[in-house]
Amino acid sequence: YIYRGKKPVYWCATCETALAEAEVEYEDRQDPSIYVKFPVSTPPKFRPDLFKQPVEVVVWTTTPWTLPANVALAFHPDAQYLILEGFPHLLIASELEGRFSSLLNTVNIKHLGEITGKELKGLRCQAPFGDRESVAVLDEGVSLEEGTGIVHIAPGHGQEDYQIGQREKLDTLSPVDHQGKFTDEVPMFKGKGVFDANPLIIADLKKRGLLLHEEPITHSYPHCWRCKQPVIFRATPQWFLSVEHQGLR
């Protein structure tokens, strides 16, 4: 019945402790907001003609430091996705094309084809960090009101991401220690605090041609009620009792 696993919790790197939800306060904070390109390595089985030329999936995130823990990309199953002409071509949700075009100051980008979220299942991309692939998963919680309609999934650094990871049997990567610094699992940024690593991660993405756009964003962010410093979501090893074992539920 008893097993050991990882689960993300609110973590204060300043106090070096886990926090309950009641110990978290929300304050406005400015963070970098970036659009990142994930090159497609394995196209989906549907509409292979759309992927004859190189295609890159575009993802929006306000937490660049979580990208080294990426294992999947979530698509809305009922949404329509567009392949936009480019070098390489770009894939985004059709509902967000207007906002996306104005962001990049481009008009009349040629549409090369359309594909539904359901049809994208099986697609795999090269993860931005680490020698692994990021797999396509489907989730109805994916927002079609901001970003690109595609969400980067890091089960070790977010509650919704963790739930998707459990459902899809994804790895729960959490390469961040109790002081909020990257571990040996991310040699490039080892020893750097996650917020200090943000500009370094962005610079590296830009150098490798994976950064499409960057702008600051002010948003409500969790802070520690004791030290008033920003907290992170971090998966830690914990003990669990399985209610599924031998019909215990």
Side-chain angles (χ1 to χ4, degrees), residues 26-32 62-65 194-199 216-223 228-232:
Y26 284 84
E27 294 176 27
D28 282 350
R29 171 185 164 87
Q30 190 176 81
D31 279 311
T62 58
T63 53
W65 66 267
V194 293
F195 298 118
D196 293 336
N198 269 338
I217 184 173
T218 300
H219 59 163
S220 181
Y221 192 87
H223 287 66
K228 311 301 180 187
Q229 294 302 306
V231 301
I232 60 174

mmCIF file of all heavy atoms in Angstrom, residues 26-32 62-65 194-199 216-223 228-232:
data_model
loop_
_atom_site.group_PDB
_atom_site.id
_atom_site.type_symbol
_atom_site.label_atom_id
_atom_site.label_comp_id
_atom_site.label_asym_id
_atom_site.label_seq_id
_atom_site.Cartn_x
_atom_site.Cartn_y
_atom_site.Cartn_z
ATOM 1 N N TYR A 26 -0.470 36.379 -2.243
ATOM 2 C CA TYR A 26 -0.264 36.751 -3.650
ATOM 3 C C TYR A 26 0.037 38.237 -3.779
ATOM 4 O O TYR A 26 -0.655 39.070 -3.206
ATOM 5 C CB TYR A 26 -1.494 36.367 -4.483
ATOM 6 C CG TYR A 26 -1.535 34.879 -4.749
ATOM 7 C CD1 TYR A 26 -2.068 34.009 -3.807
ATOM 8 C CD2 TYR A 26 -1.010 34.346 -5.923
ATOM 9 C CE1 TYR A 26 -2.081 32.633 -4.029
ATOM 10 C CE2 TYR A 26 -1.024 32.977 -6.155
ATOM 11 C CZ TYR A 26 -1.563 32.133 -5.202
ATOM 12 O OH TYR A 26 -1.555 30.773 -5.429
ATOM 13 N N GLU A 27 1.100 38.529 -4.514
ATOM 14 C CA GLU A 27 1.475 39.915 -4.777
ATOM 15 C C GLU A 27 1.845 40.040 -6.257
ATOM 16 O O GLU A 27 2.263 39.065 -6.882
ATOM 17 C CB GLU A 27 2.694 40.308 -3.933
ATOM 18 C CG GLU A 27 2.435 40.339 -2.438
ATOM 19 C CD GLU A 27 3.711 40.633 -1.661
ATOM 20 O OE1 GLU A 27 4.617 41.291 -2.232
ATOM 21 O OE2 GLU A 27 3.814 40.193 -0.508
ATOM 22 N N ASP A 28 1.716 41.264 -6.784
ATOM 23 C CA ASP A 28 2.110 41.489 -8.178
ATOM 24 C C ASP A 28 3.626 41.406 -8.304
ATOM 25 O O ASP A 28 4.364 41.862 -7.425
ATOM 26 C CB ASP A 28 1.633 42.863 -8.655
ATOM 27 C CG ASP A 28 0.144 42.848 -8.988
ATOM 28 O OD1 ASP A 28 -0.429 41.742 -9.029
ATOM 29 O OD2 ASP A 28 -0.436 43.923 -9.187
ATOM 30 N N ARG A 29 4.043 40.803 -9.401
ATOM 31 C CA ARG A 29 5.472 40.637 -9.644
ATOM 32 C C ARG A 29 5.706 40.697 -11.153
ATOM 33 O O ARG A 29 4.883 40.223 -11.941
ATOM 34 C CB ARG A 29 5.924 39.283 -9.090
ATOM 35 C CG ARG A 29 7.345 38.877 -9.464
ATOM 36 C CD ARG A 29 7.665 37.471 -8.969
ATOM 37 N NE ARG A 29 8.858 36.962 -9.642
ATOM 38 C CZ ARG A 29 10.100 37.166 -9.219
ATOM 39 N NH1 ARG A 29 10.312 37.866 -8.131
ATOM 40 N NH2 ARG A 29 11.133 36.667 -9.887
ATOM 41 N N GLN A 30 6.842 41.272 -11.563
ATOM 42 C CA GLN A 30 7.174 41.310 -12.991
ATOM 43 C C GLN A 30 8.108 40.151 -13.337
ATOM 44 O O GLN A 30 9.102 39.916 -12.665
ATOM 45 C CB GLN A 30 7.847 42.630 -13.371
ATOM 46 C CG GLN A 30 7.975 42.794 -14.878
ATOM 47 C CD GLN A 30 8.546 44.146 -15.272
ATOM 48 O OE1 GLN A 30 9.762 44.351 -15.244
ATOM 49 N NE2 GLN A 30 7.684 45.076 -15.648
ATOM 50 N N ASP A 31 7.741 39.408 -14.370
ATOM 51 C CA ASP A 31 8.536 38.276 -14.838
ATOM 52 C C ASP A 31 8.673 38.339 -16.349
ATOM 53 O O ASP A 31 7.885 39.010 -17.029
ATOM 54 C CB ASP A 31 7.859 36.946 -14.450
ATOM 55 C CG ASP A 31 8.134 36.554 -13.009
ATOM 56 O OD1 ASP A 31 9.306 36.577 -12.609
ATOM 57 O OD2 ASP A 31 7.172 36.234 -12.287
ATOM 58 N N PRO A 32 9.660 37.622 -16.909
ATOM 59 C CA PRO A 32 9.761 37.564 -18.365
ATOM 60 C C PRO A 32 8.694 36.641 -18.945
ATOM 61 O O PRO A 32 8.413 35.578 -18.394
ATOM 62 C CB PRO A 32 11.166 36.997 -18.609
ATOM 63 C CG PRO A 32 11.505 36.256 -17.358
ATOM 64 C CD PRO A 32 10.773 36.927 -16.238
ATOM 65 N N THR A 62 5.496 32.044 -18.725
ATOM 66 C CA THR A 62 5.978 33.142 -17.873
ATOM 67 C C THR A 62 6.975 32.617 -16.838
ATOM 68 O O THR A 62 7.386 33.355 -15.949
ATOM 69 C CB THR A 62 4.799 33.823 -17.145
ATOM 70 O OG1 THR A 62 4.110 32.839 -16.368
ATOM 71 C CG2 THR A 62 3.837 34.444 -18.143
ATOM 72 N N THR A 63 7.334 31.327 -16.951
ATOM 73 C CA THR A 63 8.319 30.729 -16.038
ATOM 74 C C THR A 63 9.401 30.013 -16.859
ATOM 75 O O THR A 63 9.426 28.777 -16.903
ATOM 76 C CB THR A 63 7.647 29.728 -15.066
ATOM 77 O OG1 THR A 63 6.881 28.779 -15.845
ATOM 78 C CG2 THR A 63 6.733 30.427 -14.086
ATOM 79 N N PRO A 64 10.289 30.778 -17.520
ATOM 80 C CA PRO A 64 11.332 30.145 -18.339
ATOM 81 C C PRO A 64 12.165 29.123 -17.567
ATOM 82 O O PRO A 64 12.616 28.124 -18.132
ATOM 83 C CB PRO A 64 12.200 31.338 -18.790
ATOM 84 C CG PRO A 64 11.285 32.521 -18.726
ATOM 85 C CD PRO A 64 10.355 32.257 -17.579
ATOM 86 N N TRP A 65 12.331 29.332 -16.249
ATOM 87 C CA TRP A 65 13.183 28.435 -15.452
ATOM 88 C C TRP A 65 12.619 27.016 -15.365
ATOM 89 O O TRP A 65 13.341 26.081 -15.013
ATOM 90 C CB TRP A 65 13.428 29.004 -14.052
ATOM 91 C CG TRP A 65 12.214 29.099 -13.176
ATOM 92 C CD1 TRP A 65 11.387 30.178 -13.027
ATOM 93 C CD2 TRP A 65 11.685 28.089 -12.312
ATOM 94 N NE1 TRP A 65 10.374 29.896 -12.142
ATOM 95 C CE2 TRP A 65 10.532 28.610 -11.679
ATOM 96 C CE3 TRP A 65 12.065 26.776 -11.998
ATOM 97 C CZ2 TRP A 65 9.770 27.886 -10.778
ATOM 98 C CZ3 TRP A 65 11.302 26.048 -11.092
ATOM 99 C CH2 TRP A 65 10.177 26.595 -10.490
ATOM 100 N N VAL A 194 16.748 29.772 -9.432
ATOM 101 C CA VAL A 194 15.865 29.688 -10.601
ATOM 102 C C VAL A 194 15.543 31.060 -11.195
ATOM 103 O O VAL A 194 15.528 31.218 -12.423
ATOM 104 C CB VAL A 194 14.568 28.917 -10.283
ATOM 105 C CG1 VAL A 194 14.878 27.453 -10.009
ATOM 106 C CG2 VAL A 194 13.811 29.530 -9.112
ATOM 107 N N PHE A 195 15.285 32.071 -10.350
ATOM 108 C CA PHE A 195 14.953 33.388 -10.892
ATOM 109 C C PHE A 195 16.182 34.057 -11.512
ATOM 110 O O PHE A 195 16.086 34.769 -12.510
ATOM 111 C CB PHE A 195 14.328 34.267 -9.814
ATOM 112 C CG PHE A 195 13.021 33.722 -9.281
ATOM 113 C CD1 PHE A 195 12.885 33.374 -7.941
ATOM 114 C CD2 PHE A 195 11.933 33.540 -10.126
ATOM 115 C CE1 PHE A 195 11.695 32.859 -7.455
ATOM 116 C CE2 PHE A 195 10.738 33.021 -9.648
ATOM 117 C CZ PHE A 195 10.611 32.677 -8.310
ATOM 118 N N ASP A 196 17.367 33.800 -10.922
ATOM 119 C CA ASP A 196 18.616 34.332 -11.498
ATOM 120 C C ASP A 196 18.918 33.653 -12.833
ATOM 121 O O ASP A 196 19.590 34.230 -13.697
ATOM 122 C CB ASP A 196 19.791 34.089 -10.541
ATOM 123 C CG ASP A 196 19.667 34.906 -9.262
ATOM 124 O OD1 ASP A 196 18.976 35.944 -9.295
ATOM 125 O OD2 ASP A 196 20.237 34.496 -8.237
ATOM 126 N N ALA A 197 18.434 32.421 -12.997
ATOM 127 C CA ALA A 197 18.717 31.669 -14.220
ATOM 128 C C ALA A 197 17.826 32.095 -15.384
ATOM 129 O O ALA A 197 18.148 31.816 -16.551
ATOM 130 C CB ALA A 197 18.555 30.173 -13.975
ATOM 131 N N ASN A 198 16.701 32.765 -15.094
ATOM 132 C CA ASN A 198 15.774 33.161 -16.163
ATOM 133 C C ASN A 198 16.464 33.868 -17.337
ATOM 134 O O ASN A 198 16.328 33.455 -18.489
ATOM 135 C CB ASN A 198 14.646 34.035 -15.616
ATOM 136 C CG ASN A 198 13.436 33.219 -15.189
ATOM 137 O OD1 ASN A 198 13.252 32.090 -15.639
ATOM 138 N ND2 ASN A 198 12.604 33.795 -14.340
ATOM 139 N N PRO A 199 17.240 34.967 -17.086
ATOM 140 C CA PRO A 199 17.886 35.650 -18.211
ATOM 141 C C PRO A 199 18.910 34.771 -18.935
ATOM 142 O O PRO A 199 19.101 34.902 -20.152
ATOM 143 C CB PRO A 199 18.558 36.874 -17.573
ATOM 144 C CG PRO A 199 18.577 36.612 -16.101
ATOM 145 C CD PRO A 199 17.442 35.692 -15.808
ATOM 146 N N PRO A 216 8.187 41.707 -20.872
ATOM 147 C CA PRO A 216 7.900 41.574 -19.442
ATOM 148 C C PRO A 216 6.396 41.481 -19.202
ATOM 149 O O PRO A 216 5.598 42.005 -19.984
ATOM 150 C CB PRO A 216 8.476 42.859 -18.839
ATOM 151 C CG PRO A 216 8.483 43.836 -19.969
ATOM 152 C CD PRO A 216 8.653 43.049 -21.232
ATOM 153 N N ILE A 217 6.013 40.796 -18.125
ATOM 154 C CA ILE A 217 4.607 40.691 -17.758
ATOM 155 C C ILE A 217 4.485 40.906 -16.254
ATOM 156 O O ILE A 217 5.321 40.429 -15.480
ATOM 157 C CB ILE A 217 4.025 39.318 -18.166
ATOM 158 C CG1 ILE A 217 2.518 39.257 -17.864
ATOM 159 C CG2 ILE A 217 4.744 38.171 -17.470
ATOM 160 C CD1 ILE A 217 1.835 38.002 -18.376
ATOM 161 N N THR A 218 3.482 41.671 -15.831
ATOM 162 C CA THR A 218 3.204 41.841 -14.410
ATOM 163 C C THR A 218 1.997 40.978 -14.080
ATOM 164 O O THR A 218 0.935 41.121 -14.694
ATOM 165 C CB THR A 218 2.921 43.315 -14.072
ATOM 166 O OG1 THR A 218 4.076 44.093 -14.417
ATOM 167 C CG2 THR A 218 2.633 43.488 -12.590
ATOM 168 N N HIS A 219 2.165 40.055 -13.160
ATOM 169 C CA HIS A 219 1.077 39.140 -12.817
ATOM 170 C C HIS A 219 1.082 38.852 -11.318
ATOM 171 O O HIS A 219 2.040 39.133 -10.612
ATOM 172 C CB HIS A 219 1.183 37.840 -13.635
ATOM 173 C CG HIS A 219 2.472 37.093 -13.447
ATOM 174 N ND1 HIS A 219 2.640 35.786 -13.806
ATOM 175 C CD2 HIS A 219 3.679 37.472 -12.929
ATOM 176 C CE1 HIS A 219 3.869 35.387 -13.532
ATOM 177 N NE2 HIS A 219 4.502 36.395 -13.006
ATOM 178 N N SER A 220 -0.029 38.294 -10.837
ATOM 179 C CA SER A 220 -0.156 37.921 -9.434
ATOM 180 C C SER A 220 0.639 36.639 -9.202
ATOM 181 O O SER A 220 0.439 35.648 -9.910
ATOM 182 C CB SER A 220 -1.631 37.705 -9.104
ATOM 183 O OG SER A 220 -1.795 37.375 -7.764
ATOM 184 N N TYR A 221 1.543 36.667 -8.217
ATOM 185 C CA TYR A 221 2.469 35.539 -8.023
ATOM 186 C C TYR A 221 2.529 35.180 -6.536
ATOM 187 O O TYR A 221 2.512 36.059 -5.670
ATOM 188 C CB TYR A 221 3.863 35.922 -8.542
ATOM 189 C CG TYR A 221 4.799 34.745 -8.648
ATOM 190 C CD1 TYR A 221 4.829 33.955 -9.788
ATOM 191 C CD2 TYR A 221 5.636 34.395 -7.581
ATOM 192 C CE1 TYR A 221 5.671 32.855 -9.884
ATOM 193 C CE2 TYR A 221 6.472 33.299 -7.657
ATOM 194 C CZ TYR A 221 6.484 32.530 -8.814
ATOM 195 O OH TYR A 221 7.299 31.436 -8.898
ATOM 196 N N PRO A 222 2.605 33.870 -6.203
ATOM 197 C CA PRO A 222 2.640 33.471 -4.785
ATOM 198 C C PRO A 222 3.935 33.872 -4.074
ATOM 199 O O PRO A 222 5.026 33.712 -4.630
ATOM 200 C CB PRO A 222 2.495 31.943 -4.846
ATOM 201 C CG PRO A 222 2.908 31.542 -6.222
ATOM 202 C CD PRO A 222 2.576 32.695 -7.108
ATOM 203 N N HIS A 223 3.788 34.386 -2.862
ATOM 204 C CA HIS A 223 4.922 34.773 -2.013
ATOM 205 C C HIS A 223 4.768 34.117 -0.642
ATOM 206 O O HIS A 223 3.664 33.809 -0.203
ATOM 207 C CB HIS A 223 4.980 36.296 -1.829
ATOM 208 C CG HIS A 223 5.446 37.036 -3.056
ATOM 209 N ND1 HIS A 223 4.721 37.069 -4.228
ATOM 210 C CD2 HIS A 223 6.573 37.764 -3.286
ATOM 211 C CE1 HIS A 223 5.376 37.798 -5.126
ATOM 212 N NE2 HIS A 223 6.497 38.231 -4.587
ATOM 213 N N LYS A 228 8.193 37.039 2.795
ATOM 214 C CA LYS A 228 7.668 37.898 1.722
ATOM 215 C C LYS A 228 8.397 37.723 0.386
ATOM 216 O O LYS A 228 8.270 38.557 -0.506
ATOM 217 C CB LYS A 228 7.695 39.391 2.121
ATOM 218 C CG LYS A 228 7.095 39.688 3.490
ATOM 219 C CD LYS A 228 5.648 39.263 3.583
ATOM 220 C CE LYS A 228 5.054 39.567 4.960
ATOM 221 N NZ LYS A 228 3.698 39.016 5.132
ATOM 222 N N GLN A 229 9.173 36.635 0.254
ATOM 223 C CA GLN A 229 9.883 36.360 -1.005
ATOM 224 C C GLN A 229 9.022 35.456 -1.900
ATOM 225 O O GLN A 229 8.185 34.699 -1.413
ATOM 226 C CB GLN A 229 11.222 35.679 -0.709
ATOM 227 C CG GLN A 229 12.219 36.551 0.038
ATOM 228 C CD GLN A 229 12.529 37.834 -0.708
ATOM 229 O OE1 GLN A 229 12.913 37.820 -1.869
ATOM 230 N NE2 GLN A 229 12.341 38.965 -0.028
ATOM 231 N N PRO A 230 9.239 35.529 -3.241
ATOM 232 C CA PRO A 230 8.466 34.665 -4.139
ATOM 233 C C PRO A 230 8.775 33.193 -3.889
ATOM 234 O O PRO A 230 9.900 32.826 -3.552
ATOM 235 C CB PRO A 230 8.933 35.084 -5.537
ATOM 236 C CG PRO A 230 10.242 35.773 -5.337
ATOM 237 C CD PRO A 230 10.180 36.397 -3.978
ATOM 238 N N VAL A 231 7.751 32.352 -4.007
ATOM 239 C CA VAL A 231 7.928 30.918 -3.805
ATOM 240 C C VAL A 231 7.876 30.212 -5.157
ATOM 241 O O VAL A 231 7.530 30.811 -6.173
ATOM 242 C CB VAL A 231 6.854 30.335 -2.859
ATOM 243 C CG1 VAL A 231 6.912 31.028 -1.520
ATOM 244 C CG2 VAL A 231 5.457 30.454 -3.461
ATOM 245 N N ILE A 232 8.231 28.933 -5.163
ATOM 246 C CA ILE A 232 8.184 28.140 -6.391
ATOM 247 C C ILE A 232 7.368 26.878 -6.135
ATOM 248 O O ILE A 232 7.115 26.521 -4.989
ATOM 249 C CB ILE A 232 9.613 27.767 -6.885
ATOM 250 C CG1 ILE A 232 10.356 26.931 -5.819
ATOM 251 C CG2 ILE A 232 10.400 29.004 -7.271
ATOM 252 C CD1 ILE A 232 11.717 26.408 -6.278
#
